[in-house]
Amino acid sequence: MDFKSSNVPLSEKQVGDDEKGIPSPPAYSGVVDNGTRPDDCNWYDYEELLKKYPEAKNPRLSARCNAGGSIGAGLFVGSGGALHNGGPASLLLGFIIIGVMLLFTVQALGELAVLYPVNGAFYMYAVRFIDPAWGFAMGWEYALSWLVILPFEITAAGITIEFWRNDINIGVWIAVFLSVLVLVQFFAVRGYGEVEFVLGIIKIIAVIGFIFLGVIIDCGGVPTDNRGYIGAQYWHNPGAFRNGFKGFCSVFVTAAFAFAGTELVGLAAAEAEDPRKTLPKATRTVFWRIAIFYVLSLFILGLIVRSDSDELLNASGANTKASPFVLAIKEAGIKGLPSVFNAVITLSVISVANSATFASTRTLQALAKNGMAPRFLQYVDPQGRPLWCIILQLVFGLLAFINEADVGIQVFTWLLSLSALNNLFVWASICLSHIRFRRGWAAQGHSEDELPFKAAFGVIGSYIGFFLNILALVATFYVSLFPIGADPNAEAFFTTFLSAPIAIALYVGWKIYIRGGTGFYVRSHEMDVLTGLREFHPDVDDGVLKEKKFGVRDIPSRLMHAVFV
């Protein structure tokens, strides 16, 4: 294969010894070189960056951020509300559909990130291959979603403490957990990777342990459980589905929230030592992680917890006291273990809060470097920390103290409505970016053989992923317009679907600001598919991504590698 990179090392001006951090490139005006890309586009020479910031060489960062970082209140709490609204079958099907879509999405993201490593955020793929205005909208939607998730997760962590002590004001615990997150930020990328590594291991062990315990409970193997053998009884009574088609549609928004963060493997690509080697490994393990941590655990949950249980009525938002996982253990009459699992939930939501800080700050810094956010947010200190972005994120963390007010719940509900559908929009944009990239790549005379890493399902997988995202958005629109057990009303609609008009407003606003720019999309023959290509040496690297042949005896070791490595 004859392939040469067009990656040009940064000049001294871009990567120097400036004690004030990385000097910024020219601001992105929205229309540069036929309007297809920004001036610098954050496509860096990563060998130079890693020399300047050696702490970014953290092999655990990419390995953990898409496995442990996404497991939090969405799975441990929100799944209870979805079970109550849709029943065990709807819960399982909804998570399978979103999981399959994410499998295609992360594969597409892996191909793009290996070829074009992006420092900060993959919204730049939408800027480059779809439309700059849409990329701007997705960048801000993604940043906003993580900005508001931080106070949500901190609040959830505070509520978990009430499982043991309800005589201490939740504001005390919010202050404690926020201080811990501030401390983690001092260690930059290394701090994020190490914290996620430890917390990820704890969450993985807890979920796998719950699966084994759930099987024992379902088979009647717990002496303290008076229900005896349960089997699939709860799938018949009260039933596999609840609230008909509306119940099924209601699961998608919960599943999207629960899976949020799975794409962080792409966000961390620029700060890993060798994204071409580590990113494909991480994307290949997504299937096993989705199948085990989400689908299998929720299948077991649906077998041992009644979907009509009154305990599930409050299983939503940050109310970790109503976790269906803890409820399943309590109903089996097991002493002590509910406290252990509640502690795991506490660590899980702290982990997601840590991921929120990483994701939002890197996205905001990338937006600022390209003229799409206030310029002061582009500052990076000598240790590689986007300080002003971190400060802004932690200021948003202070919103958790709104819970002290009488209207705290209402304010929090509207804040979370800003992020309800953002993940679906972002994932759809990743799939569409991959589709558009492949079209531009072929239109300019390149072949798939030149790609250092190809998505396992090709462009067909991205079409399927894009379609499933649109399907989930339509289903959510339907259940938002016609809510379960209520008449259509504006408040119910916008608390779920507010992200859509905000995305449209951001898109139109940037179009007006840049006076049209590239039109409605970037044409295939006008795409810049060469700038920022990562250096690829076929004679040396051709074997890096080749899979070793394995037989049946290797399956257990492969499975363990997929889960824990």
Side-chain angles (χ1 to χ4, degrees), residues 89-166:
S90 293
L91 177 69
L92 190 63
L93 288 173
F95 271 77
I96 287 175
I97 291 172
I98 298 297
V100 169
M101 176 272 295
L102 266 176
L103 180 63
F104 295 132
T105 301
V106 175
Q107 283 288 325
L109 180 59
E111 179 177 311
L112 291 171
V114 170
L115 195 62
Y116 306 103
V118 180
N119 177 44
F122 41 72
Y123 81 92
M124 291 306 304
Y125 299 131
V127 170
R128 192 167 185 172
F129 302 122
I130 301 176
D131 181 74
W134 186 250
F136 169 81
M138 290 301 98
W140 272 105
E141 284 263 288
Y142 191 72
L144 283 173
S145 67
W146 285 111
L147 283 172
V148 299
I149 282 176
L150 176 61
F152 167 83
E153 296 291 346
I154 293 175
T155 300
I159 293 175
T160 60
I161 304 299
E162 294 182 0
F163 185 87
W164 300 285
R165 295 284 300 272
N166 57 10

Side-chain angles (χ1 to χ4, degrees), residues 110-303:
E111 179 177 311
L112 291 171
V114 170
L115 195 62
Y116 306 103
V118 180
N119 177 44
F122 41 72
Y123 81 92
M124 291 306 304
Y125 299 131
V127 170
R128 192 167 185 172
F129 302 122
I130 301 176
D131 181 74
W134 186 250
F136 169 81
M138 290 301 98
W140 272 105
E141 284 263 288
Y142 191 72
L144 283 173
S145 67
W146 285 111
L147 283 172
V148 299
I149 282 176
L150 176 61
F152 167 83
E153 296 291 346
I154 293 175
T155 300
I159 293 175
T160 60
I161 304 299
E162 294 182 0
F163 185 87
W164 300 285
R165 295 284 300 272
N166 57 10
D167 58 332
I168 300 177
N169 190 290
I170 189 175
V172 174
W173 300 113
I174 290 174
V176 170
F177 294 133
L178 190 58
S179 299
V180 171
L181 291 175
V182 171
L183 182 63
V184 170
Q185 301 312 309
F186 279 104
F187 299 96
V189 178
R190 180 182 297 276
Y192 169 75
E194 294 298 332
V195 170
E196 283 309 301
F197 179 80
V198 175
L199 296 183
I201 288 290
I202 293 173
K203 289 188 285 187
I204 288 169
I205 293 174
V207 172
I208 293 177
F210 175 82
I211 291 172
F212 282 107
L213 176 63
V215 171
I216 295 172
I217 294 174
D218 189 58
C219 295
V222 179
T224 55
D225 191 348
N226 297 324
R227 294 173 297 177
Y229 175 78
I230 301 173
Q233 174 184 336
Y234 295 156
W235 279 60
H236 300 283
N237 181 25
F241 295 93
R242 285 174 58 85
N243 297 308
F245 185 63
K246 287 183 181 180
F248 171 71
C249 292
S250 69
V251 174
F252 286 111
V253 68
T254 301
F257 182 76
F259 279 117
T262 305
E263 74 290 336
L264 285 176
V265 63
L267 190 63
E271 301 187 47
E273 181 176 8
D274 186 2
R276 185 173 172 268
K277 182 178 180 180
T278 58
L279 219 163
K281 287 182 178 180
T283 57
R284 289 190 182 106
T285 62
V286 168
F287 169 79
W288 293 108
R289 289 163 179 173
I290 289 175
I292 294 173
F293 301 151
Y294 290 92
V295 176
L296 185 55
S297 65
L298 291 177
F299 172 68
I300 297 296
L301 183 71
L303 290 176

Side-chain angles (χ1 to χ4, degrees), residues 299-316:
F299 172 68
I300 297 296
L301 183 71
L303 290 176
I304 59 178
V305 176
R306 293 180 64 93
S307 59
D308 61 350
S309 171
D310 292 337
E311 298 285 341
L312 298 177
L313 288 173
N314 298 317
S316 62

